[in-house]
Structure formats: C-alpha cells, structure tokens
Amino acid sequence: MCGIAGFVGREWSREASAEALRRMCDAIRHRGPDDAGYFLAPGVALGMRRLSIIDLGGGHQPIGNEDGRIQIVFNGEIYNYRELREGLLRSGHRFSTHTDTETILHHYEARGDRVVDDLRGMFGFAIWDARRERLLLARDRLGIKPLYYREGDGGVAFASELKSLLALPGVPREIDPAALADYLALGYVPEPACIFRGIRKLEPGHTLSWSRDEGVRVARYWSPFRPEDATIGEEEAVRELRRLFSEAVRYRLIADVPLGAFLSGGTDSSAVVAEMSRQMDRPVQTFSIGFAEPEFNEAPHAAAVAKALGSDHTELIVRPDVDSLLEQIIVAFDEPFADSSAIPTFLVSQLASRSVKVALSGDGGDELFGGYTRYLDLMRRDHRLPAPARHALSALARRLPHSAYGRNRLLELARSPHGRYAGMVAHALAPEEGGIAAAGVAAAGHDLDSLLRRWFDDTPERDPATRASFVDLQSYLPGDILTKVDRMSMAVSLEARVPLLDHPIVEFASSLPARLRFREGKGKWLLRRAIEDLVPPLVLQKPKQGFGVPLRLWFRNELRGRIDDLLRPDSAVYAYVDRAAVSRVVREHLAGRRDHSAQIWKLLVLHVWLQTPSAAQVESSPRSTFALERA
C-alpha cells in the first residue's frame, strides 16, 4: 500500500521538477512511511511513498521494464499477480522483483490499456510509456483506492490524495459551489467532483490517458451492472457465493507482514473473520472498539463472537477526546467529509496498527446484498404513480407552508423512484425546504430528484431496491464508505482489505433477483444463508447496528464549545450556509425538540475544514460571488 503522485506535459527544469515532486510525496508520507522513490525525465515526473507489504526488500518504486522506457508507480494490491506473473514469464518477460507492481508493468507491455481487465484487487497506478510519450492512470473497479487529477499547463498532474496535488505550485483553491452543495446534501463530495474547481477524482472503473497529440481522455472499463439471472435457484446461489467468498478471503491473506481483521460482531465482519479462521493455521488477530455509552457499545458482542471463533482479540473501550481529534480527522480527508463514523474507524485502525500492517474489513456487504433499511422501504413503497399525477401532487405540496401537516407526505408521493431514494440519503438544500445552504450554494446544487439520476436510470428494468443498491455502489460506497476506510487506515499507515468487494462477488451479486436479497422483511437473505454454518449463531440473531457515535451527547457536552464557535457572527461558514437556518437547527436540537445531529455535524465539519491547511488559501473569483455573501 502506497501513495503516488506526479505530473506530465510541462517542461519544468530538472531541479524544479524534483523539488515539486518531493513536496507532493512528502505530503502523503503517512501512506508510505517505509520508502520513497522518484523518476524524472524531460516533461515527466513520477513519485511514490511505500508501505511495504509484499517483497519487502525488493519492491522499491518506481519500477521500469527491461529497457527502462516504461515506468510505473502503484498504490494497492493485485491479488492474482502470481498467476499473471507465471504467464508473463512463459512469454519471455524478465522480472527483477517478486512484486505485484512489476507484474502490472509487464502485463501492460502485453495488453496495453486493457491491462486493467485482468487485475483482481484494489489499485491506483500511473504508467509512463516513453516510447509513445503517453501516461496511463487507472483506478480499481469499486474505488477502494483514491486517485485525484488536474488538467492544465498542457498536461496533467495526479496524486493519491488532494493534499498532494495542492503541494504542486500554482494549483488554485477555488471552492466549487456545486461540489459544496453536494456535500451539504450528502455529507461527502461524490465522484468525479472535488471541492476545488479544476480538480477531479478519477471515477471507479475508469482509466485516464494523456499524450501531447490527444490530450486527456477518460474511459470507463468496467461496470457493476449484470443482467438479472431470474432462473438461479437458492441452493445454487448459496454454493456459488460461498465459493467466491472463500476465494476472495484466500487472496487477501497474501502478505509478507502480520495481518488481522476489524471485528464489530456484525454479519459481514464476522463472516470475514470466520473464513480467515478456517483458512489460517493460527488464531486471527481481531480488533474492536467500544464507547462508554451502552447504546453505542458493540464491544461485548464483538468479544463474544471473537471467543466463539477463537481469535486473538484486542478491544478498547474509549471515551475519545473528540474535540482534540476533530482537526486531525478532518485534515486527513482534505475535503469536507461528514460521516461521523470516521471517528471509530480511525480509533480501531490506530488500535490495529500497533500489532499488524494489514487488516481485513467487512465493508460492501450492505450495498451488495441489501442490508440497508432504505432498500426495504423502497420495496414496500413501490407505488408507480403516473408522471402527471406526481407532478400535480408536487405542485400542490409546494404551495403549502414548510411546516404544514401532510406536506412532506405529498412530496414523497410525488417523487419518482430515484427521487424517493434521494430523499432517503440526502438533505434538502434550500432553507424553505428544511435545508441550511446559502442562496448561492442552493442555486448551484442539484435538486433531489436529479441528484443521483445518472446512476439510477442505468437499470430501468430492475426493482427499485436493486436499482438503489447500484446507485450506492457507485456513489455512497466510493464517496463515503471506502473514502472513510482508506483515509482513516492510511492515516496510521495501515492497509485495509475488503474481500466482499472482490469484483467476481460484485458481478455475481448484481445478477441476483430481489427474492434472493430480501425475504421475510429482511435484507441480506442470501448472504445470511451462505454463512449460517460458518459464523456462530449469535451473529445472525443480533439485530443490525450501525457504526454510530453519540453525537447528541457530544453536542451537549464535549463539543458544545465548538457549537458556540460555529454560531459566532464572524464565522467563515456563513459564506456558504444560511445563518437563520443554522440558528433554527441548533436551537431545535439543543432544546431536544428534533434530532439534527447529522446536519450539525456537517456544519461543524465545514466550519473546521475552512480553517485547515487545505482550505486556508481558498480563492474567490467573479464566478463564485456566492462565497462573499453574508446572511
């Protein structure tokens, strides 16, 4: 696991290129504290920081091919690299290391841009081909590993994290109002947008190529969508899922360093640990944390699961100094990011990093197999009203005051399926709709019905719950869940692996009919069937519990001073949010009338982020006059 950075296409002097590249790599030292490497040639610079996991002594990057004219820097793990390597050796390729990095390089020689089709794992990489004076960037299918880029100066710059790109001289820091609106709606900035104009995230399952003649070209090489297999039987599906899951875990046990697993005691993490225990010849090292507040403390259940599975378990009950952790966590994301479960994710990663360098996690099971309650809600409320009726109901509802009884119910009935889904995962922006955005930001944002439509409309023939899960796979999963796990684990130089997101599992899950995802009012039916003889009975008996934190208590205690600071009239946050709406939300929450924890956390994160190094030099321009407004 590493961090990569570089740029092509601009004729920097060799000294200036070296200095800029070193700054970019130093900014992501936490991603790779074990080693650093640089490749410099006229018009191109590639750099990396390495966290040594495979071939500890021989994996220095960048790595070149036999004649040195093709160079690669790579972040991630390719789990099938040994099989690919054997085929390449038979074809006459010569290797100087035993790394997966060099395997990608030689496979590129054989397959060109189609190299990505054969890679099984998580990755962000850059290949410079001097023969063609061409750069290839690629990101893994699900977006487990990040990759930012910026076009400009007749070329392109790239990096694993935004802070690395911002270390490159001349990169502007002008907030994109549409991206900020997305953040206020969703709590994160979804791909391909970035909080700063001119910077993009390479989307999961995409490549980017650059050459002087063709410039930048972005292409999609993979999609999770598969036709529904309506004929598959339950027992056949159970056997196939067990086979794929066992194989995915086996691949992710490849390492030359100690590895363990996160264990919450939930279905997904317990299944991962159980399968690891079945395949390993020693107890699995497992790690969990709990909070002092009983309703947020899963540690006793995790300990019981660990005992039943025979793992070597470490737990920590924490009462975190969340006020002092706040800046550290927010800085790690570079962009505003409001999933409060980042706090326990950071703490459990920190705990695990004291003993291991790799930890397996159970992320992805809810999106693939229907674990979120919103999927069941969509199944229950699958009322397909004709479009004219929905439009009439919407017009009627919008004439009513925001507080009017029945207004929200009318709006709900008026929404299309993607609109109903968006209403479940996103907050409204405009204050008159219950949102908190300033007028300029709200005007720049998407309306809720169109926010996620580009993914929802890809599969019009599937049921609403399955369509929503496909949207989550391409928005919430990479934008929130995987971003959280990557940044919080990498902040403590820990590699996190996600076996449930092995792409053969994803492709299989996407073909399943709804009857194998949902049954008896429950989601994840097939996954539960597939692991029922693998995990202890107490795992499947326990109701689902999210990875939550006691925000309501913190806002009244540990974070009360932060709330008071947020409400100061001179707070920079009021360039982007409506002062009256913020006052209302905070007042209602502190009085106990409504739980606005999620909205207040978004506000607090934005308020603190505006004071971080990433945002300290934010620029304004005539195109973003909203940034100068005050309520």
Side-chain angles (χ1 to χ4, degrees):
M1 191 63 63
C2 308
I4 64 173
F7 43 84
V8 296
R10 181 177 177 180
E11 298 299 331
W12 280 281
S13 70
R14 194 174 285 271
E15 291 77 20
S17 291
E19 180 185 353
L21 184 62
R22 192 174 300 276
R23 280 201 301 267
M24 293 177 76
C25 291
D26 286 349
I28 50 174
R29 186 182 187 280
H30 54 280
R31 296 189 73 91
D34 297 335
D35 190 17
Y38 312 95
F39 171 81
L40 293 164
V44 59
L46 305 179
M48 61 85 60
R49 296 290 318 196
R50 185 181 182 219
L51 180 65
S52 303
I53 303 295
I54 293 174
D55 192 3
L56 305 187
H60 179 78
Q61 296 183 40
I63 294 178
N65 68 334
E66 291 90 338
D67 64 10
R69 300 190 68 192
I70 304 176
Q71 297 282 330
I72 184 172
V73 286
F74 165 59
N75 166 35
E77 300 287 355
I78 304 302
Y79 303 114
N80 64 333
Y81 80 97
R82 291 172 176 167
E83 297 98 298
L84 294 174
R85 176 189 169 94
E86 288 301 315
L88 291 163
L89 285 169
R90 288 193 296 271
S91 299
H93 291 267
R94 299 192 307 274
F95 285 74
S96 60
T97 75
H98 295 279
T99 63
D100 49 353
T101 307
E102 190 177 11
T103 301
I104 300 172
L105 183 70
H106 290 295
H107 204 54
Y108 168 79
E109 289 185 284
R111 294 270 281 145
D113 289 9
R114 302 317 307 180
V115 61
V116 290
D117 294 345
D118 304 317
L119 302 181
R120 189 168 181 173
M122 54 184 181
F123 53 85
F125 65 76
I127 293 176
W128 171 248
D129 189 338
R131 302 169 306 179
R132 304 166 64 189
E133 293 191 325
R134 184 174 183 269
L135 178 77
L136 176 68
L137 303 178
R139 190 177 180 199
D140 66 71
R141 294 168 178 82
L142 279 304
I144 303 169
K145 293 292 102 185
L147 197 54
Y148 289 80
Y149 70 96
R150 177 179 182 267
E151 298 180 53
D153 301 313
V156 62
F158 64 90
S160 292
E161 293 187 17
L162 178 58
K163 61 173 63 69
S164 181
L165 270 185
L166 297 177
L168 190 63
V171 175
R173 303 186 186 200
E174 180 192 338
I175 289 179
D176 183 340
L180 184 60
D182 284 346
Y183 165 74
L184 290 175
L186 294 166
Y188 61 94
V189 179
E191 276 85 346
C194 172
I195 194 64
F196 294 126
R197 287 187 192 269
I199 298 176
R200 308 284 279 177
K201 304 183 188 90
L202 186 61
E203 292 186 81
H206 282 67
T207 60
L208 179 152
S209 63
W210 174 91
S211 67
R212 295 186 189 279
D213 294 336
E214 295 184 346
V216 170
R217 292 191 172 186
V218 176
R220 187 174 192 172
Y221 69 86
W222 183 83
S223 166
F225 306 132
R226 295 295 179 275
E228 179 177 335
D229 183 357
T231 64
I232 191 169
E234 184 173 324
E235 297 307 317
E236 178 189 357
V238 166
R239 288 192 299 272
E240 179 63 3
L241 179 54
R242 276 298 299 269
R243 183 189 71 80
L244 291 171
F245 179 58
S246 177
E247 185 176 75
V249 171
R250 175 171 56 82
Y251 270 125
R252 282 153 185 81
L253 297 180
I254 298 171
D256 296 330
V257 295
L259 83 169
F262 301 140
L263 179 62
S264 70
T267 302
D268 304 332
S269 67
S270 299
V272 169
V273 173
E275 184 60 32
M276 291 174 71
S277 299
R278 197 180 67 80
Q279 296 191 29
M280 293 172 63
D281 58 3
R282 61 188 182 279
V284 181
Q285 293 189 71
T286 55
F287 306 90
S288 67
I289 66 160
F291 291 103
E293 295 80 7
E295 64 269 36
F296 295 94
N297 185 20
E298 287 193 282
H301 177 71
V305 174
K307 182 178 180 181
L309 293 174
S311 71
D312 179 5
H313 189 60
T314 302
E315 74 172 36
L316 178 67
I317 305 300
V318 297
R319 188 181 290 278
D321 184 356
V322 65
D323 186 62
S324 66
L325 277 175
L326 204 56
E327 276 85 359
Q328 181 180 1
I329 287 175
I330 289 172
V331 165
F333 288 101
D334 295 326
E335 301 181 84
F337 182 84
D339 185 338
S340 59
S341 66
I343 295 171
T345 303
F346 173 78
L347 293 171
V348 75
S349 296
Q350 189 178 60
L351 178 66
S353 69
R354 297 169 186 166
S355 303
V356 299
K357 291 186 75 170
V358 176
L360 276 63
S361 83
D363 294 298
D366 288 318
E367 291 82 2
L368 291 177
F369 297 102
Y372 294 130
T373 55
R374 58 178 173 267
Y375 300 150
L376 290 169
D377 289 344
L378 283 168
M379 295 286 283
R380 296 186 188 108
R381 289 190 263 171
D382 185 15
H383 50 72
R384 293 184 174 87
L385 287 178
R390 287 193 280 105
H391 294 157
L393 285 174
S394 178
L396 173 62
R398 293 180 190 282
R399 293 193 193 102
L400 299 174
H402 177 67
S403 58
Y405 177 78
R407 180 181 187 274
N408 290 340
R409 177 58 177 158
L410 286 176
L411 285 173
E412 177 71 13
L413 289 169
R415 283 177 174 160
S416 61
H418 58 264
R420 295 201 303 278
Y421 166 80
M424 294 175 181
V425 300
H427 280 106
L429 292 172
E432 59 268 23
E433 299 289 339
I436 55 174
V441 175
H446 310 86
D447 77 83
L448 289 181
D449 276 15
S450 64
L451 182 61
L452 302 168
R453 180 182 295 173
R454 71 186 180 104
W455 292 300
F456 211 100
D457 286 352
D458 281 343
T459 53
E461 74 285 355
R462 303 296 289 270
D463 63 273
T466 299
R467 296 171 73 189
S469 73
F470 284 154
V471 176
D472 282 341
L473 277 173
Q474 296 172 100
S475 55
Y476 178 65
L477 183 69
D480 186 312
I481 299 298
L482 295 176
T483 296
K484 173 186 66 180
V485 173
D486 175 80
R487 301 305 193 279
M488 294 295 90
S489 60
M490 284 282 89
V492 294
S493 305
L494 177 76
E495 176 179 300
R497 297 178 176 179
V498 280
L500 281 167
L501 293 180
D502 197 28
H503 78 268
I505 293 181
V506 176
E507 293 172 352
F508 171 71
S510 73
S511 72
L512 294 172
R515 62 182 167 80
L516 292 179
R517 294 168 183 258
F518 311 99
R519 195 173 300 181
E520 299 176 2
K522 296 179 181 178
K524 299 172 86 165
W525 175 265
L526 183 66
L527 181 61
R528 294 167 66 90
R529 275 289 328 273
I531 64 171
E532 62 187 4
D533 61 348
L534 183 65
V535 300
L538 73 160
V539 170
L540 299 179
Q541 293 165 2
K542 184 179 183 292
K544 181 176 176 60
Q545 181 176 344
F547 204 23
V549 297
L551 283 180
R552 281 180 293 177
L553 295 174
W554 289 350
F555 288 149
R556 294 186 177 94
N557 298 286
E558 292 92 333
L559 293 177
R560 181 55 193 265
R562 296 279 188 172
I563 301 299
D564 293 340
D565 190 42
L566 169 68
L567 294 174
R568 287 174 50 190
D570 61 346
S571 171
V573 77
Y574 292 117
Y576 312 102
V577 297
D578 183 87
R579 190 189 306 276
V582 171
S583 177
R584 172 186 57 80
V585 164
V586 172
R587 187 172 60 251
E588 290 180 353
H589 183 86
L590 294 179
R593 291 200 296 273
R594 297 186 67 178
D595 182 5
H596 291 299
S597 296
Q599 285 282 58
I600 295 175
W601 186 253
K602 280 182 194 173
L603 284 165
L604 191 55
V605 167
L606 179 60
H607 173 67
V608 175
W609 178 80
L610 288 167
Q611 304 167 54
T612 65
S614 291
Q617 303 170 37
V618 166
E619 303 167 5
S620 61
S621 75
R623 291 182 301 165
S624 58
T625 53
F626 75 94
L628 304 177
E629 296 174 1
R630 290 291 188 272

